[in-house]
């Protein structure tokens, strides 16, 4: 698609499998990946917390999002994964008035700077909308970066729970969506903005 970075989409959905992928990439080109991961509804809380324990330091930037939560809420699965953060990180902003991982739409405008700064400093972004996480991740990728998107491969559907507790089946294919986003990025490159961190700023 003409982008100046590499994009890999893989089925790997366990901490161990993703660690092996990252290791193979690093051995071949000595580059830390920009990584998209998600917890699993079929994993226990202890299994989900291993994602950040194993992967946070192994990636250049990490995007935590959802993947087929099925009968579980997005936030409960994301919370299980976040429990894998070391305590010194989890409580580094314990005096914050608002949660700096979730609910960006519920915080006042004045706190947005700190919300994004805390996540930028950590290099870990929590975005429960998977398509939005993919868009931001690909927009932030720079020259010679390697973006690794895990957990879905070429699956065609996304399973989630509605507000009235019914299972929703939504068409969603990561490969197709990535092509769409990459086509859109070609026009973004012509605009004088910095996309290396959130929020984007003008040059």
């Amino acid at each position: 698609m003409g982008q100046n970075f590499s994009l890999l989409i893989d089925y790997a959905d366990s901490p161990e499998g993703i660690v092996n992928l990252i290791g193979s990439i690093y051995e071949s080109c000595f580059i830390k990946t920009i990584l998209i991961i998600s917890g699993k509804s079929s994993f226990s809380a202890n299994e989900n917390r291993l994602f950040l324990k194993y992967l946070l330091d192994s990636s250049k930037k990490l995007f935590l999002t959802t993947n087929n939560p099925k009968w579980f809420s997005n936030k409960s699965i994301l919370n299980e994964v976040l429990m894998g953060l070391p305590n010194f990180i989890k409580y580094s902003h314990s005096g914050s008035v608002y949660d700096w991982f979730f609910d960006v739409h519920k915080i006042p405008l004045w706190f947005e700077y700190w919300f994004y700064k805390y996540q930028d400093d950590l290099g870990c972004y929590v975005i429960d909308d998977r398509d939005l996480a993919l868009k931001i991740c690909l927009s932030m990728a720079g020259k010679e970066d390697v973006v690794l998107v895990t957990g879905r491969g070429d699956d065609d559907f996304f399973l989630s729970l509605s507000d009235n507790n019914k299972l929703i089946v939504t068409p969603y294919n990561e490969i197709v969506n990535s092509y769409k986003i990459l086509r859109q990025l070609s026009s973004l490159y012509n605009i004088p903005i910095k996309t290396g961190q959130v929020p984007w700023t003008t040059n």
Side-chain angles (χ1 to χ4, degrees):
M1 299 298 294
Q3 77 276 7
N4 58 5
F5 59 88
S6 299
L7 171 61
L8 306 175
I9 297 175
D10 198 272
Y11 282 105
D13 60 0
S14 69
E16 296 82 0
I18 299 171
V19 164
N20 289 336
L21 271 176
I22 290 174
S24 297
I25 293 168
Y26 190 81
E27 286 177 6
S28 64
C29 53
F30 303 104
I31 291 176
K32 280 191 171 185
T33 58
I34 299 176
L35 180 64
I36 292 182
I37 64 167
S38 50
K40 291 190 65 178
S41 59
S42 58
F43 278 12
S44 68
N46 284 334
E47 289 173 314
N48 273 328
R49 72 179 57 182
L50 293 178
F51 280 97
L52 289 188
K53 181 178 179 181
Y54 289 168
L55 299 171
L56 183 60
D57 291 336
S58 304
S59 54
K60 181 177 180 179
K61 293 181 187 294
L62 187 148
F63 290 79
L64 173 58
T65 187
T66 53
N67 179 25
N68 288 341
K70 299 179 182 176
W71 298 107
F72 298 85
S73 74
N74 290 343
K75 191 166 183 177
S76 65
I77 298 173
L78 291 172
N79 264 322
E80 289 178 357
V81 177
L82 286 170
M83 288 302 294
L85 285 173
N87 285 337
F88 78 90
I89 292 177
K90 279 190 290 190
Y91 303 122
S92 59
H93 304 294
S94 57
S96 175
V97 178
Y98 297 96
D99 187 337
W100 59 284
F101 281 119
F102 292 111
D103 300 328
V104 65
H105 302 297
K106 296 181 181 180
I107 62 175
L109 186 61
W110 67 265
F111 187 72
E112 283 190 9
Y113 168 82
W114 299 104
F115 181 91
Y116 292 122
K117 182 181 186 320
Y118 294 158
Q119 293 199 12
D120 275 327
D121 289 347
L122 180 59
C124 177
Y125 305 88
V126 183
I127 305 172
D128 61 355
D129 182 325
R130 189 175 183 95
D131 192 51
L132 179 59
L134 183 61
K135 288 176 181 176
I136 294 176
C137 176
L138 294 182
S139 300
M140 291 176 75
K143 185 177 180 181
E144 298 183 356
D145 278 333
V146 176
V147 176
L148 175 60
V149 185
T150 65
R152 291 189 56 84
D154 63 353
D155 289 348
D156 287 320
F157 298 99
F158 191 88
L159 306 177
S160 59
L161 194 64
S162 69
D163 292 335
N164 57 354
N165 294 324
K166 291 185 178 180
L167 194 64
I168 302 172
V169 180
T170 306
Y172 180 85
N173 183 290
E174 205 119 69
I175 296 174
V176 172
N177 280 32
S178 295
Y179 272 112
K180 291 178 181 177
I181 296 167
L182 290 174
R183 283 197 294 269
Q184 294 168 354
L185 281 182
S186 60
S187 60
L188 183 65
Y189 293 145
N190 298 320
I191 302 174
I193 58 174
K194 297 177 181 178
T195 60
Q197 61 184 27
V198 180
W200 297 346
T201 57
T202 56
N203 286 329

